[in-house]
Amino acid sequence: MRTKHGRVLWIVLIINTTMFFVEGWAGLLAHSTSLLADALDMLGDALVYGFSLFVLARSARWQAGAALVKGVFMLAFGLGVLAEAAYKVFYPIMPSVETMGIIGGVALAANLVCFLLLYRHRSDNLNMSSTWLCSRNDLIANVSVLLAAAGSSLLASRLPDIVVGSLIASLFLSSAFSILRQSIRALHTSPSLL
């Protein structure tokens, strides 16, 4: 099982790291809150998968500790995106909806591959469960970016981008709190670090 988990985690780590750079660069060029939020989600996931690989052969306590770190990262990213969305409310810039649509579609395809790879392992342990949760959130975020692009285009407004970025941040925060609760509970019940 560890070998299977390791192989899947390496694949999704590479996909998410690549997409972080692609989406982050596109988000900056397009002045898009939702693309930047999704890029930060990709970075968060890359960190999650890296931690998951690190604890793969370690005890349940190590895995719970890694899940706790994942939750903290997700919490920080969610708060960061909310701050960026608030900034955009006061300093308006219309995002490039074409870039949002194209890059959002590429990100959706990449995350669909990750989701399918992780789906069968989602119930194996806390480590893989928290990893799968991140992947599920990615699909929701990607569809939201596409809806923001369509909304911004139809309404000729930056507000759909800001709203979607804020919603993605809220999803980060919800998942972060869920993972933090589970990992703290697991840390209390796991006897040792070995």
Side-chain angles (χ1 to χ4, degrees):
M1 178 118 21
R2 281 185 196 154
T3 303
K4 287 181 184 177
H5 287 177
R7 187 170 34 249
V8 168
L9 289 169
W10 272 112
I11 293 168
V12 296
L13 173 64
I14 290 166
I15 290 171
N16 277 267
T17 301
T18 302
M19 287 308 302
F20 161 68
F21 288 109
V22 170
E23 250 187 326
W25 182 253
L28 289 172
L29 292 177
H31 304 289
S32 170
T33 301
S34 57
L35 274 181
L36 288 173
D38 203 34
L40 284 177
D41 185 35
M42 294 287 192
L43 175 61
D45 289 346
L47 294 171
V48 163
Y49 301 143
F51 276 117
S52 296
L53 280 164
F54 176 71
V55 299
L56 200 55
R58 289 177 169 75
S59 69
R61 186 166 180 87
W62 271 97
Q63 292 182 17
L68 181 67
V69 173
K70 294 173 198 179
V72 169
F73 274 116
M74 291 172 74
L75 181 66
F77 289 140
L79 293 173
V81 171
L82 281 180
E84 200 274 342
Y87 175 83
K88 289 280 177 73
V89 168
F90 298 106
Y91 298 95
I93 299 172
M94 182 65 184
S96 167
V97 294
E98 295 83 8
T99 303
M100 288 172 64
I102 292 167
I103 300 300
V106 171
L108 177 61
N111 279 318
L112 190 56
V113 170
C114 294
F115 178 84
L116 294 173
L117 288 169
L118 291 165
Y119 183 79
R120 72 178 75 165
H121 301 290
R122 71 191 184 286
S123 301
D124 291 352
N125 57 38
L126 176 60
N127 188 35
M128 294 306 286
S129 173
S130 63
T131 302
W132 176 76
L133 254 181
C134 292
S135 180
R136 184 203 63 188
N137 291 349
D138 288 343
L139 292 177
I140 296 167
N142 297 143
V143 170
S144 299
V145 169
L146 294 174
L147 291 174
S152 291
S153 178
L154 289 173
L155 301 173
S157 169
R158 70 189 190 285
L159 289 180
D161 183 51
I162 294 170
V163 169
V164 166
S166 299
L167 290 174
I168 292 171
S170 299
L171 182 62
F172 289 172
L173 295 175
S174 172
S175 295
F177 287 124
S178 172
I179 290 170
L180 288 170
R181 275 193 305 273
Q182 290 177 38
S183 58
I184 289 169
R185 191 168 36 245
L187 281 170
H188 287 297
T189 60
S190 299
S192 73
L193 284 171
L194 302 175

